[in-house]
Amino acid sequence: VQLQASGGGWVQAGGSLRLSCAGSGRTFSNYVMGWFRQAPGKEREFVSRITWSSSTDYAESVKGRFTISRDNAKNTVYLQMNSLKPEDTAVYYCAAGQFSPFSGTIDYVRPRNYVYWGQGTQVTVSS
């Protein structure tokens, strides 16, 4: 799977951005899709994920503000980000992985469990 992330940019606090991640190469719908982010000097952290059946989960820091969705017909996953805060500033990465039906939250939040990664898109939120 090749992943191409887009939609990042600069926005003032309280604003919104919509990230997109277009996939190609394999059956997109077979994969759990995740969004991660990495701020300078920090480890890559989980933001959100969506399964093939559109079951979703979010990091506590973005719950109620971010929404993940997918369009399997377009091989695309989206991350709608509202009420952005300066602490949301980071490079955002989309990723794809295959998980067993018994996978739990601890499995979905680990970057190492995702096999394919996009190139990242910068999101900068100014105060």
Side-chain angles (χ1 to χ4, degrees):
V1 176
Q2 290 81 46
L3 301 175
Q4 180 74 33
S6 62
W10 178 90
V11 65
Q12 288 189 323
S16 299
L17 284 173
R18 187 194 195 202
L19 305 183
S20 299
C21 177
S24 63
R26 289 183 181 264
T27 306
F28 184 80
S29 60
N30 289 346
Y31 291 85
V32 171
M33 300 300 298
W35 285 99
F36 291 77
R37 66 187 182 187
Q38 189 166 17
K42 294 187 177 181
E43 293 187 352
R44 192 166 298 188
E45 66 173 1
F46 170 79
V47 175
S48 183
R49 60 87 177 160
I50 185 167
T51 67
W52 65 272
S53 61
S54 294
S55 169
T56 61
D57 196 13
Y58 300 90
E60 286 295 326
S61 59
V62 307
K63 277 184 180 178
R65 300 188 297 121
F66 290 12
T67 302
I68 190 171
S69 61
R70 69 189 296 166
D71 185 337
N72 289 330
K74 295 182 178 179
N75 284 359
T76 302
V77 63
Y78 305 96
L79 186 67
Q80 178 66 45
M81 305 186 296
N82 298 329
S83 302
L84 282 161
K85 304 175 180 180
E87 52 264 43
D88 294 319
T89 295
V91 177
Y92 283 70
Y93 298 90
C94 61
Q98 291 185 306
F99 294 80
S100 81
F102 306 102
S103 296
T105 299
I106 194 171
D107 301 303
Y108 292 119
V109 304
R110 289 175 173 167
R112 66 183 184 187
N113 290 338
Y114 291 77
V115 178
Y116 303 103
W117 290 83
Q119 84 288 2
T121 185
Q122 176 71 46
V123 172
T124 302
V125 185
S126 64
S127 57

